[in-house]
Amino acid sequence: MNKKNEFPTFPAGCESLLCKHLTKEIFEELKDKKTQNGFALEDAIHSGVVNPDSGIGVYAGDLESYTLFSKLFDPIIQEYHGFSPEDKHKSNLNPNDLDAPNLDPKGEYIVSTRIRVGRNVADLPLGPAITKEQRNEIEKNVSQSLQAMSGNLAGRYYPLKGMNDDIKAALIADHFLFKTGDRFLEAAGLNRNWPEGRGIYHNDEKTFLVWINEEDQLRIISMQMGGNILEVFTRLSSAIQEIEKKVAFSYSEHLGYITSCPTNLGTAMRASVHIKLPKLAQDMTAFKAITDKHFLQIRGIHGEHSESEGGVYDISNKRRLGVTEVECVQDMVNGVKELIAKEKLL
Ligand code: ADP
Ligand code: ARG
């Protein structure tokens, strides 16, 4: 059992970036520091300490966490994104710059496409350090702004509190809603006061959705069946621009959009397809050689930390910081093109 404010011990074989980069020296230097929101080093590392199977293991409580605890965050950010402290982030949400032809005209491989970005409200703490009142205020303001949207983005907000269990289970099974009780988020303090202040906004077709107050205060999502990646990106891009007219987001020149998990910094974008690759899946070395080459990540079809089912995988961009949104999606497009070509050969 790790004691409060003592250098944590990690089990043998621990591979998280936290256990790799948290030296005793850095721990001693940072352990008594707190951000203006009262967020301490032990809060930042708690999820990775109690979940030694974490890939990363750290969360920020606010924008200041990234500077105050930079001796820990910087090497983690460098290793995950290949982005150094001197680098600057860049943004490009212009769909005209994306080269995304239809990769699967007969609909044999790509089941569905989804692109999301994370956003957090400027000048407020991030989820791990936010108060219940601040969180509820965000829910109120953001859901009101969303309910004023028009055209194909018009929809309704559904609070999680009081949501019928069957409706909730169906929304999760159909990949629209976040799960409850994630242990990584729990240990990061992101599930405090659950389900209060959380919910989902979506249009009738459920092609445009916004999660409120899960890991980030907003997750803006565009998704649809099939492989029309350009259409999904175009919808997302216009939705982001609409929302940005009403809500100011936390952004830094260096780190781009600020998110609670350092893996999401920058564009905060994850562009994915659910894709059938049953033959390639028999040879995970060949599969991984292609995904690594294109900076892609393989997940199961019920989201992060889930398994594949029936040879269907969630393939998405891994890099999000120091690359533009267009480049994030382009990584995914290029890799998926090669994955389909390989599957066809087998
Ligand atoms: P995040 O996208 O926020 O990183 P997850 O990996 O947990 O989080 O995914 C959230 C949900 O989105 C899960 O239900 C997952 O199955 C679903 N999802 C992700 N990509 C796709 C896709 N291309 N098509 C359909 N559903 C998807
Ligand atoms: N904290 C978890 C880990 O380190 C998740 C990291 C990335 N995923 C995320 N949803 N932020 O494994």
Side-chain angles (χ1 to χ4, degrees), residues 103 275 277 280 286-287 289-291 293-294 296 331-345:
L103 300 176
I275 180 169
L277 299 167
L280 190 53
F287 194 164
I290 299 175
T291 53
K293 176 176 156 197
H294 295 281
L296 301 180
D331 276 349
M332 192 267 274
V333 170
N334 297 346
V336 166
K337 189 172 169 193
E338 194 169 334
L339 288 168
I340 292 178
K342 184 84 182 164
E343 180 75 10
K344 276 187 181 161
L345 282 179

mmCIF file with all atom_site columns, all heavy atoms in Angstrom, residues 103 275 277 280 286-287 289-291 293-294 296 331-345:
data_model
loop_
_atom_site.group_PDB
_atom_site.id
_atom_site.type_symbol
_atom_site.label_atom_id
_atom_site.label_alt_id
_atom_site.label_comp_id
_atom_site.label_asym_id
_atom_site.label_entity_id
_atom_site.label_seq_id
_atom_site.pdbx_PDB_ins_code
_atom_site.Cartn_x
_atom_site.Cartn_y
_atom_site.Cartn_z
_atom_site.occupancy
_atom_site.B_iso_or_equiv
_atom_site.pdbx_formal_charge
_atom_site.auth_seq_id
_atom_site.auth_comp_id
_atom_site.auth_asym_id
_atom_site.auth_atom_id
_atom_site.pdbx_PDB_model_num
ATOM 1   N N   . LEU A 1 103 ? -12.795 4.750   -49.320 1.00 0.00 ? 103 LEU A N   1
ATOM 2   C CA  . LEU A 1 103 ? -11.833 3.638   -49.251 1.00 0.00 ? 103 LEU A CA  1
ATOM 3   C C   . LEU A 1 103 ? -12.511 2.281   -49.420 1.00 0.00 ? 103 LEU A C   1
ATOM 4   O O   . LEU A 1 103 ? -11.848 1.272   -49.612 1.00 0.00 ? 103 LEU A O   1
ATOM 5   C CB  . LEU A 1 103 ? -11.120 3.652   -47.892 1.00 0.00 ? 103 LEU A CB  1
ATOM 6   C CG  . LEU A 1 103 ? -10.321 4.916   -47.548 1.00 0.00 ? 103 LEU A CG  1
ATOM 7   C CD1 . LEU A 1 103 ? -9.761  4.816   -46.140 1.00 0.00 ? 103 LEU A CD1 1
ATOM 8   C CD2 . LEU A 1 103 ? -9.179  5.114   -48.558 1.00 0.00 ? 103 LEU A CD2 1
ATOM 9   N N   . ILE A 1 275 ? -13.728 -1.525  -38.214 1.00 0.00 ? 275 ILE A N   1
ATOM 10  C CA  . ILE A 1 275 ? -13.410 -2.150  -39.498 1.00 0.00 ? 275 ILE A CA  1
ATOM 11  C C   . ILE A 1 275 ? -13.222 -3.656  -39.352 1.00 0.00 ? 275 ILE A C   1
ATOM 12  O O   . ILE A 1 275 ? -12.616 -4.122  -38.385 1.00 0.00 ? 275 ILE A O   1
ATOM 13  C CB  . ILE A 1 275 ? -12.156 -1.457  -40.117 1.00 0.00 ? 275 ILE A CB  1
ATOM 14  C CG1 . ILE A 1 275 ? -11.782 -2.069  -41.461 1.00 0.00 ? 275 ILE A CG1 1
ATOM 15  C CG2 . ILE A 1 275 ? -10.972 -1.472  -39.177 1.00 0.00 ? 275 ILE A CG2 1
ATOM 16  C CD1 . ILE A 1 275 ? -10.742 -1.265  -42.226 1.00 0.00 ? 275 ILE A CD1 1
ATOM 17  N N   . LEU A 1 277 ? -11.496 -6.901  -40.147 1.00 0.00 ? 277 LEU A N   1
ATOM 18  C CA  . LEU A 1 277 ? -10.208 -7.385  -40.658 1.00 0.00 ? 277 LEU A CA  1
ATOM 19  C C   . LEU A 1 277 ? -9.945  -8.793  -40.116 1.00 0.00 ? 277 LEU A C   1
ATOM 20  O O   . LEU A 1 277 ? -8.902  -9.036  -39.477 1.00 0.00 ? 277 LEU A O   1
ATOM 21  C CB  . LEU A 1 277 ? -9.084  -6.424  -40.230 1.00 0.00 ? 277 LEU A CB  1
ATOM 22  C CG  . LEU A 1 277 ? -9.190  -4.978  -40.728 1.00 0.00 ? 277 LEU A CG  1
ATOM 23  C CD1 . LEU A 1 277 ? -8.212  -4.080  -39.992 1.00 0.00 ? 277 LEU A CD1 1
ATOM 24  C CD2 . LEU A 1 277 ? -8.949  -4.889  -42.241 1.00 0.00 ? 277 LEU A CD2 1
ATOM 25  N N   . LEU A 1 280 ? -6.444  -10.481 -41.405 1.00 0.00 ? 280 LEU A N   1
ATOM 26  C CA  . LEU A 1 280 ? -5.247  -9.807  -40.899 1.00 0.00 ? 280 LEU A CA  1
ATOM 27  C C   . LEU A 1 280 ? -5.098  -10.027 -39.390 1.00 0.00 ? 280 LEU A C   1
ATOM 28  O O   . LEU A 1 280 ? -3.982  -10.127 -38.864 1.00 0.00 ? 280 LEU A O   1
ATOM 29  C CB  . LEU A 1 280 ? -5.344  -8.315  -41.230 1.00 0.00 ? 280 LEU A CB  1
ATOM 30  C CG  . LEU A 1 280 ? -4.106  -7.459  -41.001 1.00 0.00 ? 280 LEU A CG  1
ATOM 31  C CD1 . LEU A 1 280 ? -2.882  -8.032  -41.691 1.00 0.00 ? 280 LEU A CD1 1
ATOM 32  C CD2 . LEU A 1 280 ? -4.359  -6.030  -41.493 1.00 0.00 ? 280 LEU A CD2 1
ATOM 33  N N   . ALA A 1 286 ? 1.841   -8.575  -38.407 1.00 0.00 ? 286 ALA A N   1
ATOM 34  C CA  . ALA A 1 286 ? 1.657   -7.857  -39.675 1.00 0.00 ? 286 ALA A CA  1
ATOM 35  C C   . ALA A 1 286 ? 0.673   -6.697  -39.485 1.00 0.00 ? 286 ALA A C   1
ATOM 36  O O   . ALA A 1 286 ? 0.869   -5.595  -40.022 1.00 0.00 ? 286 ALA A O   1
ATOM 37  C CB  . ALA A 1 286 ? 1.139   -8.821  -40.742 1.00 0.00 ? 286 ALA A CB  1
ATOM 38  N N   . PHE A 1 287 ? -0.381  -6.959  -38.733 1.00 0.00 ? 287 PHE A N   1
ATOM 39  C CA  . PHE A 1 287 ? -1.404  -5.946  -38.437 1.00 0.00 ? 287 PHE A CA  1
ATOM 40  C C   . PHE A 1 287 ? -0.726  -4.740  -37.770 1.00 0.00 ? 287 PHE A C   1
ATOM 41  O O   . PHE A 1 287 ? -0.839  -3.594  -38.218 1.00 0.00 ? 287 PHE A O   1
ATOM 42  C CB  . PHE A 1 287 ? -2.436  -6.587  -37.496 1.00 0.00 ? 287 PHE A CB  1
ATOM 43  C CG  . PHE A 1 287 ? -3.736  -5.846  -37.314 1.00 0.00 ? 287 PHE A CG  1
ATOM 44  C CD1 . PHE A 1 287 ? -4.841  -6.488  -36.762 1.00 0.00 ? 287 PHE A CD1 1
ATOM 45  C CD2 . PHE A 1 287 ? -3.877  -4.508  -37.662 1.00 0.00 ? 287 PHE A CD2 1
ATOM 46  C CE1 . PHE A 1 287 ? -6.044  -5.829  -36.566 1.00 0.00 ? 287 PHE A CE1 1
ATOM 47  C CE2 . PHE A 1 287 ? -5.084  -3.838  -37.472 1.00 0.00 ? 287 PHE A CE2 1
ATOM 48  C CZ  . PHE A 1 287 ? -6.162  -4.497  -36.914 1.00 0.00 ? 287 PHE A CZ  1
ATOM 49  N N   . ALA A 1 289 ? 2.391   -3.904  -37.681 1.00 0.00 ? 289 ALA A N   1
ATOM 50  C CA  . ALA A 1 289 ? 3.414   -3.236  -38.495 1.00 0.00 ? 289 ALA A CA  1
ATOM 51  C C   . ALA A 1 289 ? 2.747   -2.108  -39.293 1.00 0.00 ? 289 ALA A C   1
ATOM 52  O O   . ALA A 1 289 ? 3.304   -1.012  -39.428 1.00 0.00 ? 289 ALA A O   1
ATOM 53  C CB  . ALA A 1 289 ? 4.082   -4.239  -39.426 1.00 0.00 ? 289 ALA A CB  1
ATOM 54  N N   . ILE A 1 290 ? 1.538   -2.366  -39.780 1.00 0.00 ? 290 ILE A N   1
ATOM 55  C CA  . ILE A 1 290 ? 0.841   -1.328  -40.568 1.00 0.00 ? 290 ILE A CA  1
ATOM 56  C C   . ILE A 1 290 ? 0.343   -0.208  -39.655 1.00 0.00 ? 290 ILE A C   1
ATOM 57  O O   . ILE A 1 290 ? 0.524   0.973   -39.949 1.00 0.00 ? 290 ILE A O   1
ATOM 58  C CB  . ILE A 1 290 ? -0.333  -1.941  -41.371 1.00 0.00 ? 290 ILE A CB  1
ATOM 59  C CG1 . ILE A 1 290 ? 0.206   -2.982  -42.353 1.00 0.00 ? 290 ILE A CG1 1
ATOM 60  C CG2 . ILE A 1 290 ? -1.117  -0.848  -42.097 1.00 0.00 ? 290 ILE A CG2 1
ATOM 61  C CD1 . ILE A 1 290 ? -0.862  -3.753  -43.123 1.00 0.00 ? 290 ILE A CD1 1
ATOM 62  N N   . THR A 1 291 ? -0.253  -0.576  -38.518 1.00 0.00 ? 291 THR A N   1
ATOM 63  C CA  . THR A 1 291 ? -0.786  0.486   -37.638 1.00 0.00 ? 291 THR A CA  1
ATOM 64  C C   . THR A 1 291 ? 0.356   1.342   -37.074 1.00 0.00 ? 291 THR A C   1
ATOM 65  O O   . THR A 1 291 ? 0.244   2.561   -37.005 1.00 0.00 ? 291 THR A O   1
ATOM 66  C CB  . THR A 1 291 ? -1.669  -0.088  -36.502 1.00 0.00 ? 291 THR A CB  1
ATOM 67  O OG1 . THR A 1 291 ? -0.947  -1.105  -35.797 1.00 0.00 ? 291 THR A OG1 1
ATOM 68  C CG2 . THR A 1 291 ? -2.955  -0.664  -37.048 1.00 0.00 ? 291 THR A CG2 1
ATOM 69  N N   . LYS A 1 293 ? 3.239   1.977   -38.492 1.00 0.00 ? 293 LYS A N   1
ATOM 70  C CA  . LYS A 1 293 ? 3.777   2.800   -39.578 1.00 0.00 ? 293 LYS A CA  1
ATOM 71  C C   . LYS A 1 293 ? 2.949   4.092   -39.752 1.00 0.00 ? 293 LYS A C   1
ATOM 72  O O   . LYS A 1 293 ? 3.486   5.140   -40.073 1.00 0.00 ? 293 LYS A O   1
ATOM 73  C CB  . LYS A 1 293 ? 3.757   1.967   -40.861 1.00 0.00 ? 293 LYS A CB  1
ATOM 74  C CG  . LYS A 1 293 ? 4.196   2.680   -42.109 1.00 0.00 ? 293 LYS A CG  1
ATOM 75  C CD  . LYS A 1 293 ? 4.220   1.711   -43.287 1.00 0.00 ? 293 LYS A CD  1
ATOM 76  C CE  . LYS A 1 293 ? 4.072   2.445   -44.598 1.00 0.00 ? 293 LYS A CE  1
ATOM 77  N NZ  . LYS A 1 293 ? 3.693   1.556   -45.692 1.00 0.00 ? 293 LYS A NZ  1
ATOM 78  N N   . HIS A 1 294 ? 1.644   3.979   -39.529 1.00 0.00 ? 294 HIS A N   1
ATOM 79  C CA  . HIS A 1 294 ? 0.764   5.142   -39.734 1.00 0.00 ? 294 HIS A CA  1
ATOM 80  C C   . HIS A 1 294 ? 0.357   5.811   -38.430 1.00 0.00 ? 294 HIS A C   1
ATOM 81  O O   . HIS A 1 294 ? -0.597  6.582   -38.406 1.00 0.00 ? 294 HIS A O   1
ATOM 82  C CB  . HIS A 1 294 ? -0.472  4.714   -40.535 1.00 0.00 ? 294 HIS A CB  1
ATOM 83  C CG  . HIS A 1 294 ? -0.140  4.270   -41.936 1.00 0.00 ? 294 HIS A CG  1
ATOM 84  N ND1 . HIS A 1 294 ? 0.107   5.159   -42.961 1.00 0.00 ? 294 HIS A ND1 1
ATOM 85  C CD2 . HIS A 1 294 ? 0.037   3.038   -42.466 1.00 0.00 ? 294 HIS A CD2 1
ATOM 86  C CE1 . HIS A 1 294 ? 0.392   4.489   -44.069 1.00 0.00 ? 294 HIS A CE1 1
ATOM 87  N NE2 . HIS A 1 294 ? 0.363   3.194   -43.794 1.00 0.00 ? 294 HIS A NE2 1
ATOM 88  N N   . LEU A 1 296 ? -1.087  4.616   -35.718 1.00 0.00 ? 296 LEU A N   1
ATOM 89  C CA  . LEU A 1 296 ? -2.468  4.270   -35.360 1.00 0.00 ? 296 LEU A CA  1
ATOM 90  C C   . LEU A 1 296 ? -2.509  3.382   -34.132 1.00 0.00 ? 296 LEU A C   1
ATOM 91  O O   . LEU A 1 296 ? -1.528  2.711   -33.789 1.00 0.00 ? 296 LEU A O   1
ATOM 92  C CB  . LEU A 1 296 ? -3.161  3.554   -36.525 1.00 0.00 ? 296 LEU A CB  1
ATOM 93  C CG  . LEU A 1 296 ? -3.241  4.325   -37.838 1.00 0.00 ? 296 LEU A CG  1
ATOM 94  C CD1 . LEU A 1 296 ? -3.948  3.496   -38.900 1.00 0.00 ? 296 LEU A CD1 1
ATOM 95  C CD2 . LEU A 1 296 ? -3.961  5.649   -37.648 1.00 0.00 ? 296 LEU A CD2 1
ATOM 96  N N   . ASP A 1 331 ? -3.740  10.478  -41.065 1.00 0.00 ? 331 ASP A N   1
ATOM 97  C CA  . ASP A 1 331 ? -3.042  9.286   -40.543 1.00 0.00 ? 331 ASP A CA  1
ATOM 98  C C   . ASP A 1 331 ? -3.990  8.092   -40.612 1.00 0.00 ? 331 ASP A C   1
ATOM 99  O O   . ASP A 1 331 ? -3.630  7.000   -41.062 1.00 0.00 ? 331 ASP A O   1
ATOM 100 C CB  . ASP A 1 331 ? -2.663  9.476   -39.052 1.00 0.00 ? 331 ASP A CB  1
ATOM 101 C CG  . ASP A 1 331 ? -1.345  10.244  -38.858 1.00 0.00 ? 331 ASP A CG  1
ATOM 102 O OD1 . ASP A 1 331 ? -0.615  10.452  -39.845 1.00 0.00 ? 331 ASP A OD1 1
ATOM 103 O OD2 . ASP A 1 331 ? -1.067  10.620  -37.698 1.00 0.00 ? 331 ASP A OD2 1
ATOM 104 N N   . MET A 1 332 ? -5.226  8.315   -40.137 1.00 0.00 ? 332 MET A N   1
ATOM 105 C CA  . MET A 1 332 ? -6.206  7.221   -40.094 1.00 0.00 ? 332 MET A CA  1
ATOM 106 C C   . MET A 1 332 ? -6.567  6.757   -41.511 1.00 0.00 ? 332 MET A C   1
ATOM 107 O O   . MET A 1 332 ? -6.565  5.554   -41.805 1.00 0.00 ? 332 MET A O   1
ATOM 108 C CB  . MET A 1 332 ? -7.437  7.698   -39.310 1.00 0.00 ? 332 MET A CB  1
ATOM 109 C CG  . MET A 1 332 ? -8.410  6.626   -38.917 1.00 0.00 ? 332 MET A CG  1
ATOM 110 S SD  . MET A 1 332 ? -9.683  6.461   -40.135 1.00 0.00 ? 332 MET A SD  1
ATOM 111 C CE  . MET A 1 332 ? -10.836 7.697   -39.604 1.00 0.00 ? 332 MET A CE  1
ATOM 112 N N   . VAL A 1 333 ? -6.818  7.718   -42.397 1.00 0.00 ? 333 VAL A N   1
ATOM 113 C CA  . VAL A 1 333 ? -7.189  7.379   -43.781 1.00 0.00 ? 333 VAL A CA  1
ATOM 114 C C   . VAL A 1 333 ? -6.068  6.562   -44.444 1.00 0.00 ? 333 VAL A C   1
ATOM 115 O O   . VAL A 1 333 ? -6.310  5.494   -45.030 1.00 0.00 ? 333 VAL A O   1
ATOM 116 C CB  . VAL A 1 333 ? -7.460  8.664   -44.603 1.00 0.00 ? 333 VAL A CB  1
ATOM 117 C CG1 . VAL A 1 333 ? -7.610  8.350   -46.087 1.00 0.00 ? 333 VAL A CG1 1
ATOM 118 C CG2 . VAL A 1 333 ? -8.686  9.384   -44.073 1.00 0.00 ? 333 VAL A CG2 1
ATOM 119 N N   . ASN A 1 334 ? -4.836  7.045   -44.325 1.00 0.00 ? 334 ASN A N   1
ATOM 120 C CA  . ASN A 1 334 ? -3.710  6.363   -44.984 1.00 0.00 ? 334 ASN A CA  1
ATOM 121 C C   . ASN A 1 334 ? -3.535  4.943   -44.453 1.00 0.00 ? 334 ASN A C   1
ATOM 122 O O   . ASN A 1 334 ? -3.298  4.004   -45.216 1.00 0.00 ? 334 ASN A O   1
ATOM 123 C CB  . ASN A 1 334 ? -2.415  7.144   -44.778 1.00 0.00 ? 334 ASN A CB  1
ATOM 124 C CG  . ASN A 1 334 ? -2.462  8.524   -45.414 1.00 0.00 ? 334 ASN A CG  1
ATOM 125 O OD1 . ASN A 1 334 ? -3.345  8.808   -46.223 1.00 0.00 ? 334 ASN A OD1 1
ATOM 126 N ND2 . ASN A 1 334 ? -1.529  9.379   -45.045 1.00 0.00 ? 334 ASN A ND2 1
ATOM 127 N N   . GLY A 1 335 ? -3.649  4.802   -43.137 1.00 0.00 ? 335 GLY A N   1
ATOM 128 C CA  . GLY A 1 335 ? -3.473  3.487   -42.539 1.00 0.00 ? 335 GLY A CA  1
ATOM 129 C C   . GLY A 1 335 ? -4.598  2.530   -42.909 1.00 0.00 ? 335 GLY A C   1
ATOM 130 O O   . GLY A 1 335 ? -4.359  1.360   -43.216 1.00 0.00 ? 335 GLY A O   1
ATOM 131 N N   . VAL A 1 336 ? -5.821  3.042   -42.894 1.00 0.00 ? 336 VAL A N   1
ATOM 132 C CA  . VAL A 1 336 ? -6.979  2.184   -43.200 1.00 0.00 ? 336 VAL A CA  1
ATOM 133 C C   . VAL A 1 336 ? -6.901  1.712   -44.656 1.00 0.00 ? 336 VAL A C   1
ATOM 134 O O   . VAL A 1 336 ? -7.215  0.560   -44.968 1.00 0.00 ? 336 VAL A O   1
ATOM 135 C CB  . VAL A 1 336 ? -8.301  2.932   -42.890 1.00 0.00 ? 336 VAL A CB  1
ATOM 136 C CG1 . VAL A 1 336 ? -9.497  2.234   -43.502 1.00 0.00 ? 336 VAL A CG1 1
ATOM 137 C CG2 . VAL A 1 336 ? -8.475  3.051   -41.372 1.00 0.00 ? 336 VAL A CG2 1
ATOM 138 N N   . LYS A 1 337 ? -6.430  2.600   -45.523 1.00 0.00 ? 337 LYS A N   1
ATOM 139 C CA  . LYS A 1 337 ? -6.262  2.233   -46.941 1.00 0.00 ? 337 LYS A CA  1
ATOM 140 C C   . LYS A 1 337 ? -5.322  1.030   -47.046 1.00 0.00 ? 337 LYS A C   1
ATOM 141 O O   . LYS A 1 337 ? -5.607  0.041   -47.737 1.00 0.00 ? 337 LYS A O   1
ATOM 142 C CB  . LYS A 1 337 ? -5.685  3.435   -47.682 1.00 0.00 ? 337 LYS A CB  1
ATOM 143 C CG  . LYS A 1 337 ? -5.646  3.305   -49.165 1.00 0.00 ? 337 LYS A CG  1
ATOM 144 C CD  . LYS A 1 337 ? -5.229  4.650   -49.748 1.00 0.00 ? 337 LYS A CD  1
ATOM 145 C CE  . LYS A 1 337 ? -4.917  4.486   -51.228 1.00 0.00 ? 337 LYS A CE  1
ATOM 146 N NZ  . LYS A 1 337 ? -4.233  5.655   -51.761 1.00 0.00 ? 337 LYS A NZ  1
ATOM 147 N N   . GLU A 1 338 ? -4.211  1.104   -46.322 1.00 0.00 ? 338 GLU A N   1
ATOM 148 C CA  . GLU A 1 338 ? -3.239  0.002   -46.382 1.00 0.00 ? 338 GLU A CA  1
ATOM 149 C C   . GLU A 1 338 ? -3.777  -1.264  -45.707 1.00 0.00 ? 338 GLU A C   1
ATOM 150 O O   . GLU A 1 338 ? -3.538  -2.381  -46.179 1.00 0.00 ? 338 GLU A O   1
ATOM 151 C CB  . GLU A 1 338 ? -1.903  0.441   -45.751 1.00 0.00 ? 338 GLU A CB  1
ATOM 152 C CG  . GLU A 1 338 ? -0.785  -0.525  -46.080 1.00 0.00 ? 338 GLU A CG  1
ATOM 153 C CD  . GLU A 1 338 ? 0.604   0.000   -45.699 1.00 0.00 ? 338 GLU A CD  1
ATOM 154 O OE1 . GLU A 1 338 ? 0.815   1.220   -45.643 1.00 0.00 ? 338 GLU A OE1 1
ATOM 155 O OE2 . GLU A 1 338 ? 1.480   -0.858  -45.456 1.00 0.00 ? 338 GLU A OE2 1
ATOM 156 N N   . LEU A 1 339 ? -4.524  -1.101  -44.623 1.00 0.00 ? 339 LEU A N   1
ATOM 157 C CA  . LEU A 1 339 ? -5.096  -2.272  -43.936 1.00 0.00 ? 339 LEU A CA  1
ATOM 158 C C   . LEU A 1 339 ? -6.076  -3.007  -44.851 1.00 0.00 ? 339 LEU A C   1
ATOM 159 O O   . LEU A 1 339 ? -6.059  -4.241  -44.945 1.00 0.00 ? 339 LEU A O   1
ATOM 160 C CB  . LEU A 1 339 ? -5.817  -1.840  -42.649 1.00 0.00 ? 339 LEU A CB  1
ATOM 161 C CG  . LEU A 1 339 ? -4.931  -1.395  -41.481 1.00 0.00 ? 339 LEU A CG  1
ATOM 162 C CD1 . LEU A 1 339 ? -5.768  -0.730  -40.392 1.00 0.00 ? 339 LEU A CD1 1
ATOM 163 C CD2 . LEU A 1 339 ? -4.145  -2.567  -40.893 1.00 0.00 ? 339 LEU A CD2 1
ATOM 164 N N   . ILE A 1 340 ? -6.902  -2.242  -45.564 1.00 0.00 ? 340 ILE A N   1
ATOM 165 C CA  . ILE A 1 340 ? -7.878  -2.876  -46.465 1.00 0.00 ? 340 ILE A CA  1
ATOM 166 C C   . ILE A 1 340 ? -7.145  -3.595  -47.604 1.00 0.00 ? 340 ILE A C   1
ATOM 167 O O   . ILE A 1 340 ? -7.480  -4.729  -47.961 1.00 0.00 ? 340 ILE A O   1
ATOM 168 C CB  . ILE A 1 340 ? -8.893  -1.836  -47.015 1.00 0.00 ? 340 ILE A CB  1
ATOM 169 C CG1 . ILE A 1 340 ? -9.795  -1.339  -45.872 1.00 0.00 ? 340 ILE A CG1 1
ATOM 170 C CG2 . ILE A 1 340 ? -9.735  -2.425  -48.147 1.00 0.00 ? 340 ILE A CG2 1
ATOM 171 C CD1 . ILE A 1 340 ? -10.807 -0.266  -46.266 1.00 0.00 ? 340 ILE A CD1 1
ATOM 172 N N   . ALA A 1 341 ? -6.116  -2.936  -48.143 1.00 0.00 ? 341 ALA A N   1
ATOM 173 C CA  . ALA A 1 341 ? -5.352  -3.548  -49.244 1.00 0.00 ? 341 ALA A CA  1
ATOM 174 C C   . ALA A 1 341 ? -4.747  -4.874  -48.784 1.00 0.00 ? 341 ALA A C   1
ATOM 175 O O   . ALA A 1 341 ? -4.793  -5.886  -49.501 1.00 0.00 ? 341 ALA A O   1
ATOM 176 C CB  . ALA A 1 341 ? -4.261  -2.586  -49.709 1.00 0.00 ? 341 ALA A CB  1
ATOM 177 N N   . LYS A 1 342 ? -4.212  -4.895  -47.567 1.00 0.00 ? 342 LYS A N   1
ATOM 178 C CA  . LYS A 1 342 ? -3.584  -6.113  -47.027 1.00 0.00 ? 342 LYS A CA  1
ATOM 179 C C   . LYS A 1 342 ? -4.639  -7.203  -46.793 1.00 0.00 ? 342 LYS A C   1
ATOM 180 O O   . LYS A 1 342 ? -4.427  -8.371  -47.143 1.00 0.00 ? 342 LYS A O   1
ATOM 181 C CB  . LYS A 1 342 ? -2.884  -5.752  -45.702 1.00 0.00 ? 342 LYS A CB  1
ATOM 182 C CG  . LYS A 1 342 ? -2.129  -6.877  -45.078 1.00 0.00 ? 342 LYS A CG  1
ATOM 183 C CD  . LYS A 1 342 ? -0.734  -7.008  -45.671 1.00 0.00 ? 342 LYS A CD  1
ATOM 184 C CE  . LYS A 1 342 ? 0.002   -8.183  -45.062 1.00 0.00 ? 342 LYS A CE  1
ATOM 185 N NZ  . LYS A 1 342 ? 1.176   -8.574  -45.831 1.00 0.00 ? 342 LYS A NZ  1
ATOM 186 N N   . GLU A 1 343 ? -5.779  -6.819  -46.218 1.00 0.00 ? 343 GLU A N   1
ATOM 187 C CA  . GLU A 1 343 ? -6.857  -7.792  -45.947 1.00 0.00 ? 343 GLU A CA  1
ATOM 188 C C   . GLU A 1 343 ? -7.320  -8.432  -47.268 1.00 0.00 ? 343 GLU A C   1
ATOM 189 O O   . GLU A 1 343 ? -7.574  -9.631  -47.321 1.00 0.00 ? 343 GLU A O   1
ATOM 190 C CB  . GLU A 1 343 ? -8.014  -7.086  -45.233 1.00 0.00 ? 343 GLU A CB  1
ATOM 191 C CG  . GLU A 1 343 ? -9.216  -7.977  -44.888 1.00 0.00 ? 343 GLU A CG  1
ATOM 192 C CD  . GLU A 1 343 ? -8.988  -8.913  -43.694 1.00 0.00 ? 343 GLU A CD  1
ATOM 193 O OE1 . GLU A 1 343 ? -7.969  -8.773  -42.997 1.00 0.00 ? 343 GLU A OE1 1
ATOM 194 O OE2 . GLU A 1 343 ? -9.834  -9.802  -43.496 1.00 0.00 ? 343 GLU A OE2 1
ATOM 195 N N   . LYS A 1 344 ? -7.400  -7.622  -48.317 1.00 0.00 ? 344 LYS A N   1
ATOM 196 C CA  . LYS A 1 344 ? -7.846  -8.120  -49.627 1.00 0.00 ? 344 LYS A CA  1
ATOM 197 C C   . LYS A 1 344 ? -6.896  -9.169  -50.181 1.00 0.00 ? 344 LYS A C   1
ATOM 198 O O   . LYS A 1 344 ? -7.302  -10.114 -50.856 1.00 0.00 ? 344 LYS A O   1
ATOM 199 C CB  . LYS A 1 344 ? -7.935  -6.961  -50.629 1.00 0.00 ? 344 LYS A CB  1
ATOM 200 C CG  . LYS A 1 344 ? -9.229  -6.208  -50.563 1.00 0.00 ? 344 LYS A CG  1
ATOM 201 C CD  . LYS A 1 344 ? -9.306  -5.179  -51.698 1.00 0.00 ? 344 LYS A CD  1
ATOM 202 C CE  . LYS A 1 344 ? -10.602 -4.396  -51.613 1.00 0.00 ? 344 LYS A CE  1
ATOM 203 N NZ  . LYS A 1 344 ? -10.550 -3.145  -52.356 1.00 0.00 ? 344 LYS A NZ  1
ATOM 204 N N   . LEU A 1 345 ? -5.579  -8.987  -49.879 1.00 0.00 ? 345 LEU A N   1
ATOM 205 C CA  . LEU A 1 345 ? -4.566  -9.916  -50.399 1.00 0.00 ? 345 LEU A CA  1
ATOM 206 C C   . LEU A 1 345 ? -4.622  -11.287 -49.730 1.00 0.00 ? 345 LEU A C   1
ATOM 207 O O   . LEU A 1 345 ? -4.182  -12.272 -50.296 1.00 0.00 ? 345 LEU A O   1
ATOM 208 C CB  . LEU A 1 345 ? -3.176  -9.329  -50.168 1.00 0.00 ? 345 LEU A CB  1
ATOM 209 C CG  . LEU A 1 345 ? -2.691  -8.233  -51.110 1.00 0.00 ? 345 LEU A CG  1
ATOM 210 C CD1 . LEU A 1 345 ? -1.303  -7.774  -50.679 1.00 0.00 ? 345 LEU A CD1 1
ATOM 211 C CD2 . LEU A 1 345 ? -2.668  -8.752  -52.548 1.00 0.00 ? 345 LEU A CD2 1
#
